[in-house]
């Protein structure tokens, strides 16, 4: 149940089922601080998926700080997406929104599918994802591709990397986490030379 | 033409390549020369005049993508792909790899260029070098051979550049000049020598203790009362240097903190008189300025490989037998002996005498303190190699033998000995000229006897190596295959190890065989190749000795 409220600094914020999904005091400052923490990492990114549309202030702060980055905001509730679009119509005109209410809808979503074809980062806005933490966690796991199931999902989207997902060791365990070591183990005679070189270079970085 | 130079190690390693960059620019004046460096060195562009573009390699970004579970699985692969594609799109004609590690080896191959110099690795890890100098660096340096060359010379000669233009060249930027001007206006300018002290290094083993610096600089000030001391450091070193400054102040020594960027440091060095430094990148920067450089080489500092390059510089080296030690390992002694055994008065006296270029006084100092330290003078020899000559060891049999040995390696690596008219005569003449200032006419007999002795020793070594090679070859001929035959029996192992030790070959030979599997084909071939190299080296050395002897006899 969405409740629209005025924060102490007069900005419009939301209470979802009685819980604030951003700061009730100064959501703009909260958003700015959140972006500052990501600064180093985001300076080299071109595409970002943000989990939790929330009240939208973190999205406007992100867009302002990195105007050339493509942002895709995912929320599990369409009402929150509508709020963001109305409240920040001008500032978020370049941000794409997708409502994802289950893992099945995530896997079937064409916009997300296309977004995952190139390099991206995944960020979570904690106050916003707290409304449905379990589902957001599952979405994050699928997008990161570090488990067997999620790696297979990403492998379907990026067929050029499928040869790297055939590691023999430990794959049966559902909690198994993929790493560069796993990818290296999968290299074989059929792997393209370019891919072999790249995996070897990355392995040297953590040697 | 487009050239890419790869230098992905530390700041000092990038700066040490300056002469090679300058040489490439002279050889290819209209080429576009790009330099691939770690992201945090991108600001070097302002001081490197021979480089057109600095391309960042975001090592941290790639590592984060690998190590962080919150980063998508393919993030680093995609990021690396972007970096590689950008490099490939430049369609380089020549890639020169100065980094010489596996990462750079794979990168060199992946970028693909018409010509590659330095280590490149195939997808299954097979190395190729395109230059004997880089092969020497990878094979023999790693095996700890005594005949080591300065990295600057290896980069320069390995790039196929002609002898004679090994200069460090840096640009003073407007930003750097402004920083230095600001600094001088804040400290107040006065007459008297300006002495820059780079007290801190990147490794605690290479750094003198604060108390040692305080003692040494206090004594130095008593000898040079009108000198101005500037404690140079980066912003992250300010706190540590402030403590040093305070302790100096307590002793009545005035010093100023010079917390500057690299550009500012270069500008400061350009107008100062003396730099006293540990093994730091600042000393390499200083080699491109008029400043006199006094290096204190302790801990893991290996002056033979990375000593201050500028001719006429002074190096103070600890006498402790464990120095230089391994970079990565902690000091294994109970206390940091190689630093503590160097008397602070020696540092002060040497700095004072060096400030006035009093080499005679420095020679006396070297004699007096020879039980705890060595003083060396850097020179650039006409035969194309950098030298650091002991002030107490000049013109001795050991020194002559060492230089002949290094010149022989240069001949071998440049395949000079295979030419129909190999330059034994002209090169030995240059060697003679290099030592001539130390050869008193009365010493002619002593020098001839030294050369005779060196010749006999070299002849003996040549014979021993030939015997080892013959022994291995005979077994191969006798048995026809490598299966089940012990090609290197225990007696041969002993002799190989002894030859290795006598000739200062580190582990060039012994690392190439495992006595338990001596019939391994690849190992035997590797050993034969190294033995052939060493044999050729001794033969070349003999020819140089004989040519040098005839030069001396002619002039007698």
């Amino acid at each position: 149940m969405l409740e629209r409220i005025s924060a102490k600094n007069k900005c419009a914020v939301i209470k979802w089922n009685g819980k604030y999904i951003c700061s009730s005091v100064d959501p703009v400052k909260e958003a700015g601080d959140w972006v500052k923490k990501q600064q180093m990492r985001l300076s080299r990114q071109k595409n970002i998926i943000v989990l939790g549309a929330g009240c939208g202030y973190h999205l406007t702060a992100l867009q302002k700080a990195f105007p050339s980055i493509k942002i895709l905001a995912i929320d599990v509730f369409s009402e929150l997406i509508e709020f963001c679009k109305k409240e920040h119509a001008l500032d978020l005109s370049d941000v794409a929104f997708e409502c994802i209410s289950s893992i099945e809808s995530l896997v079937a979503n064409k916009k997300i599918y296309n977004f995952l074809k190139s390099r991206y980062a995944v960020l979570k806005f904690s106050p916003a994802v707290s409304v449905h933490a379990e589902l957001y966690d599952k979405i994050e796991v699928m997008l990161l591709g570090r488990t067997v199931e999620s790696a297979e999902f990403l492998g379907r989207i990026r067929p050029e990397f499928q040869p790297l997902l055939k590691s023999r060791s430990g794959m049966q365990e559902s909690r198994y986490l993929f790493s560069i070591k796993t990818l290296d183990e999968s290299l074989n005679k059929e792997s393209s030379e370019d891919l072999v070189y790249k995996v070897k270079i990355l392995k040297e970085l953590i040697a | 033409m487009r050239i890419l130079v790869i230098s992905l190690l530390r700041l000092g390693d990038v700066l040490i390549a300056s002469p090679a960059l300058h040489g490439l620019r002279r050889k290819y004046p209209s080429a576009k020369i790009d330099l691939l460096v770690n992201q945090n060195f991108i600001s070097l562009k302002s001081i490197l005049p021979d480089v057109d573009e600095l391309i960042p390699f975001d090592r941290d970004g790639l590592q984060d993508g690998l190590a962080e579970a919150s980063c998508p699985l393919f993030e680093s692969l995609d990021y690396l792909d972007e970096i590689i594609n950008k490099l490939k799109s430049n369609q380089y004609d020549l890639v020169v790899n100065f980094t010489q590690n596996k990462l750079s080896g794979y990168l060199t191959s992946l970028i693909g260029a018409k010509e590659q110099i330095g280590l490149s690795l195939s997808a299954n890890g097979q190395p190729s070098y395109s230059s004997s100098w880089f092969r020497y660096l990878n094979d023999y340096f790693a095996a700890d051979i005594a005949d080591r060359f300065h990295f600057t010379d290896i980069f320069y000669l390995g790039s196929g550049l002609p002898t004679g233009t090994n200069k460090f060249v840096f640009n003073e930027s407007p930003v750097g000049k402004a920083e230095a001007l600001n600094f001088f206006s804040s400290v107040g300018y006065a007459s008297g020598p300006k002495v820059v002290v780079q007290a801190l290094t990147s490794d605690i083993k290479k750094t003198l203790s604060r108390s040692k610096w305080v003692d040494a600089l206090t004594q130095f000030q008593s000898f040079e009362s009108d000198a101005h001391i500037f404690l140079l450091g980066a912003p992250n070193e300010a706190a540590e240097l402030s403590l040093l400054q305070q302790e100096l102040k307590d002793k009545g020594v005035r010093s100023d903190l010079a917390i500057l960027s690299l550009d500012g440091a270069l500008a400061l060095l350009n107008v100062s008189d003396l730099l006293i430094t540990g093994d730091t990148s600042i000393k390499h920067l200083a080699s491109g300025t008029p400043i006199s450089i006094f290096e204190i080489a302790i801990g893991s500092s290996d002056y033979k490989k990375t000593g201050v390059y500028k001719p006429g510089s002074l190096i103070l080296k600890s006498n402790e037998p464990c120095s230089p030690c391994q970079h990565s390992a902690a000091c294994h002694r109970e206390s940091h002996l190689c630093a503590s055994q160097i008397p602070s008065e020696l540092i002060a006296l040497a700095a004072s005498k060096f400030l006035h270029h009093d080499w005679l006084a420095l020679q006396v100092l070297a004699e007096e303190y020879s039980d705890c330290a060595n003083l060396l003078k850097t020179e650039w020899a006409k035969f194309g190699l950098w030298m650091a000559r002991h002030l107490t060891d000049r013109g001795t049999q050991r020194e002559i033998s060492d230089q002949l040995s290094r010149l022989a390696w240069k001949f071998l690596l440049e395949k000079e000995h295979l030419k129909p008219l190999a330059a034994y005569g002209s090169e030995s003449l240059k060697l003679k000229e290099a030592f001539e200032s130390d050869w008193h006419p009365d010493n002619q007999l002593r020098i001839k006897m030294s050369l005779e002795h060196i010749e006999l020793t070299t002849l003996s070594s040549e014979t021993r190596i030939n015997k080892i090679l013959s022994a291995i070859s005979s077994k191969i001929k006798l048995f026809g295959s490598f299966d089940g035959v012990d090609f290197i029996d225990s007696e041969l192992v002993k002799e190989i190890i002894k030859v290795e030790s006598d000739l200062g070959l580190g582990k060039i030979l012994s690392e190439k065989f495992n006595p338990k599997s001596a019939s391994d084909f690849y190992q035997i071939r590797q050993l034969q190749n190294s033995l052939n190299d060493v044999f050729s080296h001794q033969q070349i050395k003999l020819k140089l000795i004989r040519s040098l002897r005839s030069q001396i006899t002619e002039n007698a």
Side-chain angles (χ1 to χ4, degrees):
Chain A
M1 170 85 147
L2 187 154
E3 203 183 330
R4 187 197 165 100
I5 288 170
S6 222
K8 269 203 178 147
N9 70 342
K10 312 290 183 211
C11 289
V13 296
I14 291 198
K15 249 182 163 177
W16 183 264
N17 289 342
K19 200 175 175 184
Y20 281 103
I21 56 171
C22 65
S23 169
S24 59
V25 174
D26 189 346
V28 174
K29 183 179 181 301
E30 178 192 49
D33 290 345
W34 178 79
V35 170
K36 257 193 209 151
K37 278 188 196 159
Q38 330 285 345
Q39 203 94 20
M40 269 296 268
R41 190 178 159 199
L42 296 183
S43 59
R44 51 185 181 257
Q45 293 292 345
K46 290 179 186 169
N47 305 298
I48 299 176
I49 297 175
V50 180
L51 299 181
C55 305
Y57 294 99
H58 60 294
L59 297 173
T60 62
L62 200 55
Q63 186 79 103
K64 277 189 187 134
F66 302 98
S68 56
I69 288 185
K70 260 197 220 164
I71 301 172
L72 170 63
I74 291 176
D75 207 292
V76 303
F77 299 114
S78 55
E79 297 95 310
L80 294 174
I81 291 175
E82 285 313 308
F83 172 83
C84 288
K85 282 180 174 178
K86 277 193 184 139
E87 194 64 33
H88 309 283
L90 279 174
D91 293 331
L92 297 182
S93 55
D94 290 332
V95 173
F97 289 90
E98 288 296 314
C99 180
I100 299 293
S101 54
S102 66
I103 292 299
E104 290 72 28
S105 61
L106 172 76
V107 168
N109 188 298
K110 277 215 167 113
K111 224 184 217 172
I112 292 173
Y113 188 98
N114 287 332
F115 206 86
L116 299 182
K117 280 184 177 173
S118 37
R119 186 163 67 98
Y120 60 93
V122 179
L123 304 179
K124 258 173 22 183
F125 187 64
S126 303
V129 303
S130 62
V131 297
H132 206 322
E134 199 184 316
L135 178 55
Y136 277 116
D137 279 349
K138 285 182 182 170
I139 293 171
E140 187 187 25
V141 164
M142 281 306 273
L143 294 173
L144 292 179
R146 296 274 182 174
T147 62
V148 174
E149 187 195 358
S150 56
E152 282 171 357
F153 165 58
L154 288 187
R156 288 196 293 276
I157 300 171
R158 306 290 301 274
E160 69 272 27
F161 291 143
Q162 271 185 357
L164 295 174
L165 304 175
K166 291 177 182 163
S167 170
R168 289 165 294 282
S169 63
M171 271 203 49
Q172 283 69 40
E173 295 185 31
S174 58
R175 279 168 36 190
Y176 179 80
L177 284 182
F178 275 84
S179 67
I180 191 66
K181 195 177 162 202
T182 326
L183 304 185
D184 181 48
E185 283 172 5
S186 300
L187 290 174
N188 55 40
K189 284 179 206 169
E190 286 145 19
S191 309
S192 75
E193 203 174 68
D194 257 27
L195 197 55
V196 169
Y197 273 123
K198 284 168 194 166
V199 171
K200 285 191 182 298
I201 288 170
L202 292 177
K203 252 200 103 184
E204 287 303 316
L205 284 170
I206 55 169
Chain B
M1 185 180 188
R2 290 204 71 160
I3 300 173
L4 176 71
V5 177
I6 299 176
S7 184
L8 293 176
L9 295 175
R10 294 165 297 178
L11 176 60
D13 300 299
V14 180
L15 296 176
I16 221 171
S18 165
L21 291 170
H22 187 60
L24 284 168
R25 172 57 69 207
R26 285 173 66 105
K27 187 174 179 182
Y28 306 103
S30 56
K32 183 168 188 288
I33 300 179
D34 295 342
L35 180 63
L36 182 68
V37 294
N38 287 318
Q39 176 109 358
N40 38 343
F41 301 142
I42 209 73
S43 59
L44 285 174
K45 174 73 184 81
S46 55
I47 64 167
L48 296 174
D50 300 307
V51 172
D52 295 296
E53 189 183 340
L54 246 67
I55 299 174
F57 183 76
D58 190 1
R59 171 187 291 267
D60 290 343
L62 288 165
Q63 280 172 331
D64 285 348
L66 293 168
E68 301 272 339
S70 60
C71 290
L73 181 63
F74 301 135
E75 179 176 334
S76 291
L77 268 167
D78 283 332
Y79 194 19
L80 180 62
D81 205 45
E82 285 169 24
I83 296 169
I84 300 293
N85 285 340
K86 182 175 189 283
L87 290 169
K88 276 185 173 176
S89 70
N90 291 333
Q91 294 184 301
Y92 291 106
D93 299 283
L94 170 64
V95 172
V96 184
N97 179 12
F98 287 155
T99 312
Q100 307 294 297
N101 60 12
K102 281 186 182 176
L103 184 150
S104 65
Y106 289 127
L107 209 51
T108 301
S109 295
L110 191 53
I111 291 167
K114 290 177 194 158
E115 195 188 341
Q116 295 165 353
I117 294 177
L119 175 67
S120 68
L121 289 169
S122 69
N124 60 4
Q126 280 301 314
S128 64
Y129 301 100
S130 305
S131 157
S132 309
W133 284 97
F134 288 116
R135 185 178 64 81
Y136 181 90
L137 178 61
N138 277 276
D139 290 353
Y140 293 174
F141 263 48
D144 207 23
I145 189 172
D147 288 328
R148 296 192 285 284
F149 297 95
H150 201 285
F151 280 145
T152 297
D153 286 341
I154 292 184
F155 292 161
Y156 187 89
L157 295 166
S159 301
L161 298 167
T163 304
T165 52
N166 301 33
K167 275 173 61 178
F168 276 71
V169 179
F170 299 115
N171 248 359
E172 196 177 294
S173 68
V175 164
K177 268 191 199 149
E179 225 184 308
L181 269 169
N182 246 6
F183 167 71
F184 280 117
S185 46
S186 69
V187 304
Y189 180 78
S191 61
K194 292 182 276 300
V195 178
V196 180
V197 175
Q198 173 69 42
L200 303 176
T201 77
S202 58
D203 179 0
I204 195 160
K205 291 185 298 179
K206 299 195 292 187
T207 309
L208 288 176
S209 66
R210 197 183 312 137
S211 57
K212 182 76 77 176
W213 275 117
V214 169
D215 283 346
L217 291 174
T218 306
Q219 289 179 70
F220 175 76
Q221 183 99 106
S222 71
F223 303 139
E224 306 291 335
S225 54
D226 59 345
H228 297 267
I229 297 174
F230 305 131
L231 303 175
L232 178 61
N236 62 323
E237 296 171 324
E240 177 77 28
L241 290 176
S242 295
L243 294 173
L244 175 59
Q245 186 188 34
Q246 184 57 50
E247 287 192 34
L248 284 168
K249 192 179 172 191
D250 293 343
K251 296 272 187 179
V253 178
R254 195 216 144 158
S255 64
D256 293 298
L257 283 186
I259 303 300
L260 302 169
S261 67
L262 208 62
D263 288 56
L266 179 63
L268 174 65
L269 293 168
N270 261 331
V271 297
S272 299
D273 301 286
L274 173 65
L275 168 68
I276 309 173
T277 176
D279 178 14
T280 65
S281 50
I282 289 294
K283 81 173 177 209
H284 298 308
L285 194 67
S287 285
T289 71
I291 198 170
S292 298
I293 308 167
F294 174 23
E295 178 186 352
I296 299 168
I298 54 174
S300 53
S301 309
D302 188 345
Y303 76 88
K304 287 186 181 180
K305 293 183 194 172
T306 58
V308 53
Y309 195 84
K310 189 178 169 190
S313 298
L314 180 67
I315 297 175
L316 168 60
K317 185 205 166 302
S318 164
N319 259 356
E320 286 300 311
C322 54
S323 172
C325 52
Q326 290 287 327
H327 271 294
S328 44
C331 182
H332 68 286
R333 311 289 288 273
E334 273 179 21
S335 64
H336 193 201
L337 276 177
C338 64
S340 60
Q341 296 289 60
I342 297 177
S344 38
E345 71 265 17
L346 171 58
I347 298 171
L349 281 165
S352 171
K353 298 302 173 195
F354 183 49
L355 181 62
H356 301 288
H357 303 289
D358 189 348
W359 287 102
L360 199 56
L362 284 166
Q363 208 165 330
V364 172
L365 265 181
E367 296 279 357
E368 275 190 28
Y369 287 93
S370 57
D371 56 337
C372 58
N374 290 313
L375 285 173
L376 302 101
K377 182 182 181 184
T378 65
E379 292 175 12
W380 196 82
K382 283 183 194 169
F383 53 85
L385 292 173
W386 175 88
M387 302 194 291
R389 300 180 63 195
H390 290 253
L391 293 184
T392 53
D393 201 25
R394 298 173 81 80
T396 61
Q397 181 176 309
R398 191 190 77 147
E399 194 193 27
I400 297 170
S401 181
D402 282 350
Q403 296 304 345
L404 279 163
S405 205
R406 290 171 79 238
L407 184 54
W409 275 114
K410 184 171 180 274
F411 258 62
L412 181 65
L413 296 174
E414 300 204 311
K415 299 185 174 48
E416 180 67 29
H417 62 300
L418 298 175
K419 292 179 186 167
L421 289 171
Y424 291 101
S426 54
E427 292 303 301
S428 61
L429 180 62
K430 288 174 188 171
L431 185 60
K432 177 174 166 286
E433 284 169 0
F435 291 118
E436 216 143 40
S437 56
D438 305 312
W439 290 352
H440 208 269
D442 296 344
N443 284 342
Q444 288 280 338
L445 182 61
R446 182 177 64 77
I447 291 157
K448 279 181 192 169
M449 284 174 67
S450 295
L451 284 172
E452 233 177 75
H453 193 260
I454 297 168
E455 185 177 356
L456 283 170
T457 315
T458 310
L459 206 52
S460 160
S461 304
E462 191 199 23
T463 308
R464 288 164 75 189
I465 297 163
N466 200 22
K467 267 190 184 161
I468 297 169
L469 276 167
S470 299
I472 297 174
S473 297
S474 304
K475 282 200 181 176
I476 294 172
K477 275 184 195 158
L478 198 59
F479 291 101
S481 80
F482 289 89
D483 290 331
V485 177
D486 192 5
F487 286 97
I488 308 175
D489 56 42
S490 54
E491 284 305 310
L492 205 52
V493 164
K494 278 186 202 163
E495 175 60 2
I496 289 173
I497 290 172
K498 195 154 186 330
V499 160
E500 205 175 49
S501 167
D502 292 345
L503 294 181
L505 297 175
K507 294 192 187 316
I508 291 175
L509 304 173
S510 56
E511 68 168 12
K512 289 187 174 66
F513 66 80
N514 179 349
K516 289 177 190 161
S517 59
S519 57
D520 184 274
F521 171 81
Y522 183 70
Q523 299 274 36
I524 302 296
R525 275 282 179 249
Q526 289 274 295
L527 179 61
Q528 276 187 311
N529 289 341
S530 293
L531 281 165
N532 278 322
D533 272 350
V534 176
F535 181 68
S536 299
H537 174 256
Q538 295 297 299
Q539 287 188 310
I540 295 166
K541 190 175 175 181
L542 270 173
K543 287 184 181 173
L544 285 169
I545 293 166
R546 287 162 185 162
S547 178
L548 187 57
R549 280 178 73 190
S550 70
Q551 307 259 3
I552 294 169
T553 310
E554 275 171 29
N555 291 343

